[in-house]
Amino acid sequence: MLSVRCQRVSYQLLASSSTSPLVQTRSYATQPKKGQIVKQASQGFKGKKTAPSGQMEPAKKDKKMMAFQPLPVSQLPHPLFESDRPDTLTLQTFHPEMLTRVVESQALKFPHNDDDPFRIFGLPRNILVEFRLLSKPCSVIRSVTIDAINKLDAASEKNSKESRVVFTGPQGCGKSFLLLQALQYCNARDWLVLYIPRATNLVNSTTAHTYDMRTRTYLQPIFAYQTLQRFLKVNTPRLEQLRTQTEIEIERRPPVPPGTPLVELINIGLKDQGHAPTVLDAVLEEIGKQTIFPVLLAVDDFQALYCKSHYRDQHFSAIKPYHLSMPRLLLEYASGQKSFARGAVFGALSMSNTTFPLPVELREALSLKYDRPYGPYVKRQPELVEYAHGLESLAVPSSLSVSEAASVFEVWMKDRAVPSKPNDELFLAKYSEASGNARAFVWKGLLSSMS
Amino acid sequence: MNVMRRPLGLSKFRFYSTQTTRPFVPPASLNHFDFRQRQREKPRPTSPAFYTARPEFYDQLSSLESALQHAKTALTTCHLLPLPQFAREALPPRINAWVDKRELGLKLRSTLTTSRYRRVVLVLNELETYRSIAEKAGIAELQEGIRGITELFERADAATMLARGKAKPVKFDEYGRSYTLGKRKTSSARVWIVPVQQPPADKPTSQSISAATETDTALMALLDPNSSSKSNEPVSVAQILVNNTPLSTYFPIPADRTRVIHPIKLAGLLGAYNIFAIVRGGGTSGQSGALAHGIAKGLAAHEPDVATILRKAKLLRRDPRMVERKKPGLAKARKRYAWVKR
């Protein structure tokens, strides 16, 4: 029972030469621009005909974000900026072999290369701003980092069903940073990595969603396309060594025979955005079967996958996250219904997001303390309870230890980013004010005060 | 035989009207009588105040006055009385807290009028003065003797009365915790401060490092400022809990946190004391101000040297500013309504 609007849209699409399925978008969704992804959209009753085609495009730049962009050094000639002063921040590079208890509380800089997962996959907003302020992206190795890395080493031999870990802790304690460190470690150790820096974007209705009759879920072709693109870019040398093991069926196309290189399979998805969700599913299944490389699936804002999405169906009811293709895929791997033969699934909660707060099903699955009185009469969705079953919680300590905080302080001090006089009194005062909390120490403590 | 009695018919009282002269009795017949004993038939009154209206009162008063006289003579023999003017001025001024009129009446077993009460208090004040002179001079016996008398007449809560208006000393409990109260606007903060327990330092290891290596490391640190030479001494860190939550959770605004830490920072005791506080009433800035006040008072109790610094910074002072009331004819406390020309 299609509405009039949908019928008109369908006629117009059929009239065009595209082979893409029915697409619903919001009237205020961003217009397709040159060099960016073209959304196959017909806007409401006006029905603009846009030439739909999936184009290859470079990594998407976040232009909406009003984030801080530092001026390049060449534009700072005034002597006050001391641009000619040599960089005092000398850090060792983050190298997987050196990550032992000895390096605890030491700051290490992340390696910089073309296929860096940060550059390609993107970063959570807070961390992006922080890396722009710092002269080079770095992080402090904590005791919990070594714990996470030990878990990864153990997980590299086991099925990912047994290593589904979620980082928990109060806001600002360093869960996203820990996930970044795990990601860099796995990338350096030759794992296949797939990183979703902002899972809220999957459920907050920022991209188009289309209903698929075959899977009876809402597909998100743009996200699938982006994910495939980025996954290929970061893991190219490893993917070139892998081949499909079974025949893969893709709609409106002859099936892909077994033995096809995975890179070729991915390119099929990249050529046509409509195929991207199916191809992504197939690719993940294939890399799940192989045992040459372990796989890390890292998701930040993990709790957003369990919240009600902002997408609406034709009855204006919210679409459940497990009815959307991308969140469903991630939920299936997180719950162990699908798994990688070797690897792990890591997630990091975001406790500062008020549009996607931590739901009760996930809270109970991770055995976290309640923030408000819950009881047996609060409804828990059985599907989400099932998707959250078996998740392991790794508690990130709420406060930095003194030596870790000292390393953080040293990094900011040597980068000349602290406005106040950087002495031990400032350090202890800000540490006490923040009660050891990392974000409060850096953002509300060191960078906000001028004493 | 009662021959000396008046014969019957003569009245006892109407002596003047009936017989003016005594009947003649020959002296020889009175030889066997003892007149001295007769004179002493009525017992001598025990106290000289017997014939006064309030013998008990005057007895007590006279005993006090005699004690005063003894003290005076004792001091005079010690050449302490009369005291020159400069010495009298040097004595500490004493405000006495004697029992009130009713209590004194009970003690003296007679109801007192104000003038009688004042008379007793006058004597007691004099005694107290002599006691202070004896105390200053160092004559312990005399001082204790007078004290034995004066403490009978002192109020039970004399200490509290005398300490009115003075700052009460902060008490420490068996764990060394101080308990202070801080206030600001309508908020109040109850603050417990306890010193951070330092972990036992590993003395043998520190002694094993020779002097040469210590100077080497110091020299290296001096020459190369970029090298971070982290000493192995653990840094003690203070924990601050407000209503059982960490400070950063309870006060999200950095200004409030800074206000709370300010007294500790000024005193230079940043990692030295753990603080537990219960705050109530008012809003965020009032509560943070009350907490800062309580912390300052507690730190001044733990470290008296620091009290001067905190007093100079006006942190020991209860901020007297309160919300001003609204006045009639004005929109708010000071805000006037818009002036209309006509």
Side-chain angles (χ1 to χ4, degrees), chain B residues 12-292:
Chain B
K12 268 199 276 187
F13 304 104
R14 288 180 57 198
F15 195 72
Y16 55 88
S17 59
T18 47
Q19 274 205 300
T20 49
T21 52
R22 236 182 242 145
F24 177 72
V25 179
S29 59
L30 300 173
N31 278 342
H32 56 286
F33 288 116
D34 190 6
F35 290 106
R36 272 169 294 187
Q37 192 193 355
R38 186 58 61 104
Q39 275 170 12
R40 265 180 251 134
E41 233 178 57
K42 228 179 188 178
R44 195 176 271 175
T46 44
S47 79
F50 182 78
Y51 292 105
T52 62
R54 276 163 225 279
E56 295 100 355
F57 167 73
Y58 282 106
D59 278 341
Q60 300 274 6
L61 186 63
S62 67
S63 61
L64 278 175
E65 280 171 347
S66 66
L68 182 68
Q69 193 56 39
H70 285 310
K72 190 174 179 184
T73 45
L75 284 176
T76 314
T77 50
C78 298
H79 304 288
L80 287 167
L81 277 181
L83 210 58
Q85 188 60 26
F86 71 89
R88 252 191 209 270
E89 278 162 9
L91 286 172
R94 168 116 184 155
I95 305 157
N96 300 310
W98 306 121
V99 289
D100 56 1
K101 193 167 74 175
R102 194 190 66 86
E103 278 285 326
L104 195 62
L106 288 173
K107 279 188 197 286
L108 301 181
R109 288 187 298 277
S110 58
T111 48
L112 290 180
T113 59
T114 312
S115 46
R116 289 198 180 104
Y117 173 71
R118 280 210 195 112
R119 210 169 145 191
V120 176
V121 166
L122 219 71
V123 175
L124 288 172
N125 283 343
E126 276 284 313
L127 266 174
E128 188 53 46
T129 317
Y130 290 162
R131 191 196 70 82
S132 70
I133 293 171
E135 191 180 0
K136 206 74 176 173
I139 309 165
E141 265 180 34
L142 181 62
Q143 195 257 69
E144 275 159 28
I146 301 173
R147 181 90 191 107
I149 298 166
T150 51
E151 71 187 4
L152 297 168
F153 295 96
E154 227 169 48
R155 287 172 83 109
D157 56 348
T160 344
M161 268 208 74
L162 292 167
R164 258 189 325 192
K166 290 184 206 163
K168 277 179 274 189
V170 177
K171 289 182 206 133
F172 294 83
D173 66 0
E174 69 264 29
Y175 302 108
R177 294 182 294 214
S178 70
Y179 170 62
T180 49
L181 197 69
K183 287 193 187 177
R184 173 86 222 268
K185 285 197 218 175
T186 50
S187 314
S188 62
R190 303 164 65 192
V191 182
W192 287 265
I193 299 182
V194 70
V196 170
Q197 282 180 336
Q198 304 287 349
D202 313 316
K203 284 196 180 144
T205 50
S206 61
Q207 283 168 359
S208 66
I209 298 169
S210 67
T213 45
E214 272 184 10
T215 47
D216 276 344
T217 46
L219 201 64
M220 285 296 288
L222 212 66
L223 291 172
D224 184 14
N226 291 337
S227 72
S228 56
S229 49
K230 289 192 181 113
S231 61
N232 292 328
E233 281 172 40
V235 175
S236 69
V237 167
Q239 246 204 333
I240 303 175
L241 289 176
V242 185
N243 289 0
N244 213 18
T245 54
L247 178 70
S248 58
T249 319
Y250 196 79
F251 292 117
I253 301 171
D256 290 333
R257 294 177 193 168
T258 314
R259 202 178 289 127
V260 171
I261 295 286
H262 189 49
I264 316 173
K265 194 172 161 183
L266 272 187
L269 299 168
L270 271 167
Y273 291 94
N274 282 330
I275 295 161
F276 181 83
I278 299 175
V279 293
R280 206 171 179 185
T284 41
S285 82
Q287 284 187 344
S288 61
L291 186 54

Side-chain angles (χ1 to χ4, degrees), chain A residues 88 90 105-106 402-403 406-407 410 414 424-435 437 440 444 448 451, chain B residues 225-228 230 235-238 240 246-249 251-254 257-259 261 265-266 268 270-271:
Chain A
T88 46
T90 49
S105 325
Q106 241 191 57
V402 181
S403 40
S407 299
E410 229 179 278
K414 288 192 173 158
D424 60 343
E425 190 190 71
L426 178 77
F427 168 72
L428 268 181
K430 295 307 168 188
Y431 184 84
S432 306
E433 279 177 32
S435 308
N437 185 275
K444 290 193 179 172
S448 307
S451 53
Chain B
N226 291 337
S227 72
S228 56
K230 289 192 181 113
V235 175
S236 69
V237 167
I240 303 175
L247 178 70
S248 58
T249 319
F251 292 117
I253 301 171
R257 294 177 193 168
T258 314
R259 202 178 289 127
I261 295 286
K265 194 172 161 183
L266 272 187
L270 271 167

Side-chain angles (χ1 to χ4, degrees), chain A residues 85-378:
Chain A
R85 231 172 82 175
D87 236 351
T88 46
L89 186 62
T90 49
L91 298 168
Q92 290 179 298
T93 314
F94 184 100
H95 208 67
E97 273 90 45
M98 67 193 292
L99 290 177
T100 53
R101 296 274 168 205
V102 176
V103 239
E104 261 180 46
S105 325
Q106 241 191 57
L108 302 176
K109 67 174 183 220
F110 289 122
H112 180 74
N113 42 39
D114 283 338
D115 299 331
D116 194 37
F118 291 173
R119 263 188 20 109
I120 309 298
F121 282 121
L123 286 168
R125 191 184 163 282
N126 290 339
I127 299 180
L128 184 68
V129 176
E130 197 158 319
F131 285 171
R132 281 186 185 170
L133 284 178
L134 287 170
S135 58
K136 43 192 92 121
C138 57
S139 70
V140 170
I141 306 298
R142 295 168 70 177
S143 55
V144 68
T145 315
I146 308 296
D147 294 338
I149 279 163
N150 291 341
K151 271 202 173 14
L152 282 171
D153 283 338
S156 69
E157 302 304 319
K158 295 191 285 194
N159 198 297
S160 77
K161 235 185 285 194
E162 292 151 50
S163 324
R164 295 172 284 129
V165 181
V166 179
F167 300 138
T168 57
Q171 44 173 299
C173 68
K175 304 178 285 291
S176 300
F177 254 105
L178 186 59
L179 197 63
L180 283 185
Q181 288 170 335
L183 175 71
Q184 279 287 350
Y185 177 79
C186 291
N187 192 37
R189 293 269 298 175
D190 223 21
W191 286 40
L192 288 161
V193 293
L194 177 57
Y195 179 47
I196 313 282
R198 304 170 206 191
T200 45
N201 283 344
L202 303 179
V203 288
N204 62 1
S205 176
T206 44
T207 60
H209 65 303
T210 97
Y211 186 72
D212 181 34
M213 290 299 294
R214 183 180 66 90
T215 52
R216 291 202 283 173
T217 56
Y218 290 87
L219 300 181
Q220 289 167 302
I222 298 163
F223 262 123
Y225 173 85
Q226 272 178 14
T227 312
L228 273 176
Q229 203 177 42
R230 292 165 183 180
F231 183 64
L232 176 64
K233 189 105 198 289
V234 173
N235 299 291
T236 319
R238 289 155 243 169
L239 288 170
E240 278 164 359
Q241 302 174 36
L242 297 174
R243 290 173 181 272
T244 57
Q245 291 172 24
T246 53
E247 195 181 62
I248 295 161
E249 298 223 358
I250 301 173
E251 55 265 346
R252 299 181 306 277
R253 240 203 80 97
V256 177
T260 328
L262 277 185
V263 179
E264 210 178 288
L265 175 61
I266 293 173
N267 284 329
I268 294 168
L270 294 179
K271 271 195 212 115
D272 189 354
Q273 232 181 48
H275 294 150
T278 327
V279 170
L280 180 64
D281 270 342
V283 165
L284 284 180
E285 219 176 291
E286 287 300 322
I287 62 172
K289 285 184 206 153
Q290 55 85 34
T291 51
I292 306 167
F293 300 106
V295 188
L296 174 71
L297 173 59
V299 181
D300 212 331
D301 285 341
F302 188 71
Q303 84 285 352
L305 301 175
Y306 292 82
C307 295
K308 269 198 293 192
S309 76
H310 289 181
Y311 287 101
R312 301 281 180 177
D313 62 7
Q314 71 269 34
H315 305 296
F316 202 67
S317 52
I319 299 177
K320 306 269 173 12
Y322 43 86
H323 290 156
L324 294 158
S325 68
M326 284 296 297
R328 189 189 181 88
L329 186 67
L330 300 175
L331 283 172
E332 280 171 349
Y333 280 99
S335 61
Q337 287 169 15
K338 290 188 183 170
S339 61
F340 307 115
R342 286 176 68 196
V345 177
F346 272 23
L349 299 180
S350 168
M351 307 298 269
S352 8
N353 202 320
T354 47
T355 37
F356 297 102
L358 189 62
V360 63
E361 296 93 352
L362 194 54
R363 197 177 273 278
E364 284 181 342
L366 296 169
S367 323
L368 297 175
K369 271 194 289 190
Y370 290 125
D371 57 345
R372 65 185 80 142
Y374 282 119
Y377 301 106
V378 171

